Amino acid sequence: MDMSEKKNLLESVDARTRLAGSNKMEILLFSLGTRETFGINVFKVREVGRTPHITKTPNMPRGVEGLISLRGNVIPVLSLASFLELDNPPSGLGKTMMVAEYSKRTLGFLVHEVDRIIRVDWERVKAPETVLAANQGLITAVIELEGGHLVSILDVEQILANAFGEAVIIDIAPARVEEEVSIFFVDDSIVARKKISEVLDKLGVKHKHATNGMEAWTRLQAIAAHAQQMGKSLRDEIRLILVDAEMPEMDGYVLTKNVKGDPRFDGVPVVMHSSLSSEANRAMGKAVGVDSYVAKFDAEVLADTLRPLVER
């Protein structure tokens, strides 16, 4: 695929908001020079091009190759292959660079080659139970294509945490809530679940969680049914639901639609917490009824968003 084709490949990304609530996602496939195929959500990719000159700087973390200047902004460039234990990886840096936005941070990711965009149903995106344990923490989902070919979706949040370290959560004032108040959250990223739990612990709010949208919806229905059976208000069981946007089996948009379409959840706000931080993604969340949208990962902003919703 030449550079003009790669440019055309991404030109229509902003028009893809109609996928919200359809339980479909569009994935850009790429390789790291081995037989394995990897994928990244198209919404996270700003552009694709040849790898530019990279300025080496001292004391860079492992896997961070250096810095580049991109239209006046200096951004770090990571070699994705260096984070994965690949069989017979090619020598040298990847010849193609994807520029992506994660958690309000722009980064360059070096890859061997970009292939194409595919559209898949989230229900075909499965948790990585069959992935080798060595890469388990860096692969958040697996998709089986026609013919049995597997695509691994990388947990970029975990890769960034490995490269740059996890953000330290310092001063978060506790919320003024009753002891029994609980929040339900769902996120497929291990590092995200850990950081969310830290924020909720500092707020002094009990919490339950799920690791994908389908699991979350199943558990939420069970909690609602139990509250109904006991003659209790669901808000006594769950004060707020915090959802990720991208998740295996059911995305956060469909999960939100399900919650908002079930009268048992009336009065329970839904907050979307996502590394997809563009205005297009905020609009997608609003279209399915999200009460508030928070870009990952700013612990203080997340706490300030949740606090008034659980206190009222």
Side-chain angles (χ1 to χ4, degrees), residues 49-57 60-70 73-83 93-100 105-111 159-160 163-164:
R50 295 191 187 281
T51 298
H53 172 73
I54 300 172
T55 301
K56 299 283 187 179
T57 55
M60 278 289 179
R62 183 186 70 85
V64 181
E65 300 299 328
L67 304 172
I68 64 167
S69 177
L70 184 70
N73 295 315
V74 176
I75 67 171
V77 177
L78 287 73
S79 174
L80 290 181
S82 67
F83 291 93
L93 299 178
K95 60 185 179 181
T96 300
M97 184 181 75
M98 302 186 303
V99 178
R105 174 189 284 179
T106 303
L107 309 110
F109 294 126
L110 299 183
V111 301
I159 290 174
L160 295 182
F164 301 111

Side-chain angles (χ1 to χ4, degrees), residues 80-271:
L80 290 181
S82 67
F83 291 93
L84 298 164
E85 297 183 9
L86 302 174
D87 293 328
N88 302 315
S91 60
L93 299 178
K95 60 185 179 181
T96 300
M97 184 181 75
M98 302 186 303
V99 178
E101 182 179 345
Y102 275 83
S103 305
K104 299 184 287 186
R105 174 189 284 179
T106 303
L107 309 110
F109 294 126
L110 299 183
V111 301
H112 182 69
E113 190 174 39
V114 168
D115 184 5
R116 67 190 190 277
I117 289 174
I118 61 169
R119 180 179 293 187
V120 297
D121 295 323
W122 268 113
E123 59 192 25
R124 289 177 54 197
V125 182
K126 303 298 182 183
E129 297 175 347
T130 60
V131 178
L132 292 176
N135 290 337
Q136 193 89 341
L138 298 180
I139 294 174
T140 190
V142 175
I143 303 168
E144 184 173 356
L145 303 180
E146 300 295 334
H149 190 70
L150 297 179
V151 175
S152 298
I153 307 299
L154 296 181
D155 186 346
V156 178
E157 290 161 2
Q158 184 65 61
I159 290 174
L160 295 182
N162 289 357
F164 301 111
E166 297 181 16
V168 178
I169 299 174
I170 307 175
D171 295 325
I172 292 179
R176 296 186 298 273
V177 294
E178 302 88 353
E179 185 178 344
E180 65 273 10
V181 166
S182 178
I183 285 179
F184 188 97
F185 73 88
V186 53
D187 202 298
D188 63 322
S189 168
I190 295 172
V191 68
R193 291 198 299 272
K194 178 181 176 183
K195 304 312 288 185
I196 293 168
S197 295
E198 286 184 37
V199 170
L200 297 179
D201 287 343
K202 287 185 176 292
L203 282 172
V205 179
K206 293 181 179 179
H207 48 87
K208 307 169 185 175
H209 75 268
T211 60
N212 66 64
M214 186 64 74
E215 178 194 346
W217 182 229
T218 300
R219 291 192 62 190
L220 286 169
Q221 286 179 296
I223 293 170
H226 179 261
Q228 195 172 44
Q229 184 179 21
M230 299 299 292
K232 299 171 62 177
S233 168
L234 184 58
R235 270 179 58 82
D236 293 335
E237 299 282 334
I238 302 173
R239 186 62 55 88
L240 180 147
I241 300 170
L242 181 67
V243 303
D244 186 20
E246 298 179 281
M247 294 179 289
E249 301 187 42
M250 178 185 290
D251 67 21
Y253 302 108
V254 170
L255 176 58
T256 300
K257 281 182 67 175
N258 288 346
V259 169
K260 292 299 183 179
D262 189 327
R264 294 176 299 178
F265 292 91
D266 287 350
V268 179
V270 177
V271 175

